[in-house]
């Protein structure tokens, strides 16, 4: 079963179409809704640069009941030219970005489905269904990391089929002890896998683990955001890899006084660190938890998405950037 949605439209308004096949735990009623384009800065709508990133448009995607929202992981699938997201209530969301002259102007052909357990039953509830990190491994197989019940599931036959649990132990390898600060980032690069917990690195306790293909072993690895975000206790929430093996890591923080902040930091295969961009107010920011790399020829694009936690005070922002400089 499958739910198909289409969103497109002019600069401000989009129309929602609901197809005949439903595969969600709450059906989506037909309704007109608004898909808003957002500037990089509300105070300066002409601003199109932050750090080494050029802004190529962004969207405020409506929640549409309880069906679109809670997006916590993001990947670009070059084969189908679509974005794939997972939600923190165990659903997958495919979408096709609508772009004009390279700028993100809408999304269309949304497909939403439920992640299943190894027994073929829909995952429900926070304890078993809090999916947070999405990755595709070197064999082209999709994987999902969960927190609360900390584990990594590998979906050999696609995300609509039952998975297999992997041998990676997040609690043991990353010393995860808290239910809501689990494995938030899982990236697969040419040199190996990078997995990060949602916490700050401290002296004596790393927040990431790197599995090396060449050495066939796991090694603790500490990552940190720029100073402004680190001071606000910014933690890694997603990561993806460039084709040369460089990992890009998304950080975010929130405080009642400062609101949301975010940053993207690069780690090259030899461990060299560089800061790509720091997102501070008054830039357009929310609870960013998803990062996807899209490489086309000699150009690299990034998409980031925010998790609205199904809250009326938060938004689902999908934003597109071009990486202007190779991290070094």
């Amino acid at each position: 079963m499958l739910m198909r949605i289409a969103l497109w439209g002019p600069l401000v308004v989009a129309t929602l179409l609901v197809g005949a096949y439903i595969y969600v735990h709450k059906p989506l009623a037909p309704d007109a809704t608004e898909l808003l384009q957002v500037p990089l800065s509300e105070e300066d709508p002409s601003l199109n640069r932050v750090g080494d990133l050029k802004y190529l448009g962004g969207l405020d995607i409506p929640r549409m009941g309880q069906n679109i929202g809670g997006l916590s992981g993001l990947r670009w699938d070059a084969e189908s030219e679509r974005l794939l997201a997972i939600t923190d209530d165990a659903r997958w969301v495919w979408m096709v970005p609508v772009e004009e002259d390279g700028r993100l102007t809408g999304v269309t052909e949304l497909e939403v489905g439920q992640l299943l357990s190894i027994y073929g039953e829909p995952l429900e509830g926070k304890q078993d269904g809090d999916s947070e990190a999405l990755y595709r491994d070197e064999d082209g197989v999709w994987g999902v990391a969960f927190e609360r019940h900390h584990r990594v599931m590998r979906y050999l036959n696609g995300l609509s089929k039952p998975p297999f649990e992997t041998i990676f132990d997040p609690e043991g390898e990353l010393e995860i002890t808290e239910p809501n600060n689990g494995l938030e980032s899982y990236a697969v690069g040419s040199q190996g896998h990078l997995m990060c917990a949602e916490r700050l690195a401290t002296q004596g306790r790393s927040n990431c683990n790197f599995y090396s293909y060449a050495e066939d072993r796991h090694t603790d690895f500490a990552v940190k955001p720029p100073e402004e975000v680190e001071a606000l206790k910014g933690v890694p929430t997603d990561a993806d890899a460039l084709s040369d093996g460089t990992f890009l890591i998304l950080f975010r923080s929130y405080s009642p006084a400062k609101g949301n902040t975010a940053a993207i930091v690069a780690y090259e295969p030899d461990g060299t660190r560089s800061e790509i961009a720091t997102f501070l107010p008054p830039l357009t920011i929310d609870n960013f938890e998803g990062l996807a790399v899209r490489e086309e020829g000699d150009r690299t694009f990034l998409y980031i998405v925010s998790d609205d936690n199904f809250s009326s005070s938060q938004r689902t922002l999908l934003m597109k950037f071009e990486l202007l400089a190779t991290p070094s």
Side-chain angles (χ1 to χ4, degrees), residues 3 7 9 12 24 29 52 78 105 120 128 140 157 159 169 172-173 202 211 255 278 283 286 293 295:
M3 182 183 76
L7 284 179
V12 176
V24 290
D52 291 331
T105 59
D128 286 326
N157 300 308
L159 294 177
D169 175 21
E173 295 288 353
T202 59
Y211 170 73
S255 70
T278 302
L283 296 184
D286 213 287
V293 168
E295 293 178 304

Side-chain angles (χ1 to χ4, degrees), residues 117-130:
S117 73
I118 59 176
Y119 306 107
E121 301 171 345
L123 290 169
E124 295 183 348
K126 277 293 186 181
Q127 181 61 28
D128 286 326
D130 194 357

Side-chain angles (χ1 to χ4, degrees), residues 209-263:
N209 183 280
F210 179 69
Y211 170 73
S212 168
Y213 297 143
E215 299 179 4
D216 189 25
R217 68 186 182 96
H218 290 268
T219 304
D220 289 341
F221 189 73
V223 300
K224 66 176 184 176
E227 290 183 1
E228 301 96 321
V229 178
E230 184 179 23
L232 297 170
K233 299 182 178 181
V235 294
T237 55
D238 204 3
D240 204 354
L242 303 178
S243 57
D244 67 358
T246 297
F247 289 107
L248 302 182
I249 302 173
L250 174 68
F251 294 83
R252 67 105 169 92
S253 74
Y254 174 78
S255 70
K258 297 289 187 179
N260 289 291
T261 69

Side-chain angles (χ1 to χ4, degrees), residues 22-100:
I22 303 295
Y23 187 23
V24 290
H25 45 270
K26 293 185 180 180
L28 185 62
D31 189 19
T33 187
E34 291 185 344
L35 183 69
L36 303 178
Q37 294 201 7
V38 295
L40 180 58
S41 170
E42 295 284 354
E43 290 191 0
D44 182 5
S46 66
L47 186 68
N48 68 351
R49 177 84 180 254
V50 52
D52 291 331
L53 299 179
K54 179 182 178 181
Y55 187 53
L56 294 177
L59 305 169
D60 180 353
I61 301 176
R63 192 159 54 254
M64 297 178 291
Q66 294 295 312
N67 295 290
I68 302 299
L71 304 185
S72 298
L74 191 67
R75 284 295 180 269
W76 172 255
D77 179 43
E79 296 175 5
S80 63
E81 296 188 330
R82 296 185 294 173
L83 286 166
L84 174 63
I86 54 167
T87 73
D88 53 17
D89 61 353
R91 290 176 296 118
W92 48 263
V93 181
W94 283 101
M95 67 185 84
V96 175
V98 177
E99 299 179 353
E100 299 177 8

Side-chain angles (χ1 to χ4, degrees), residues 150 170-179 181-183 197 199 205:
H150 303 290
E171 291 182 338
E173 295 288 353
L174 285 166
E175 299 180 0
I176 294 173
T177 58
E178 299 178 23
N181 295 108
L183 186 55
R199 65 171 184 249
R205 191 187 189 201

Side-chain angles (χ1 to χ4, degrees), residues 100-176:
E100 299 177 8
D101 297 325
R103 293 187 60 83
L104 179 64
T105 59
V107 290
T108 188
E109 299 182 32
L110 271 76
E111 299 177 13
V112 182
Q114 190 77 37
L115 291 170
L116 305 178
S117 73
I118 59 176
Y119 306 107
E121 301 171 345
L123 290 169
E124 295 183 348
K126 277 293 186 181
Q127 181 61 28
D128 286 326
D130 194 357
S131 47
E132 294 290 344
L134 174 68
Y135 70 94
R136 197 171 195 176
D137 67 19
E138 58 275 17
D139 297 321
V141 176
W142 291 107
V144 178
F146 296 81
E147 63 181 9
R148 298 180 194 272
H149 177 191
H150 303 290
R151 66 204 190 282
V152 180
M153 311 297 285
R154 197 164 179 256
Y155 291 77
L156 296 175
N157 300 308
L159 294 177
S160 62
K161 303 295 184 181
F164 296 86
E165 193 163 0
T166 72
I167 61 174
F168 179 73
D169 175 21
E171 291 182 338
E173 295 288 353
L174 285 166
E175 299 180 0
I176 294 173

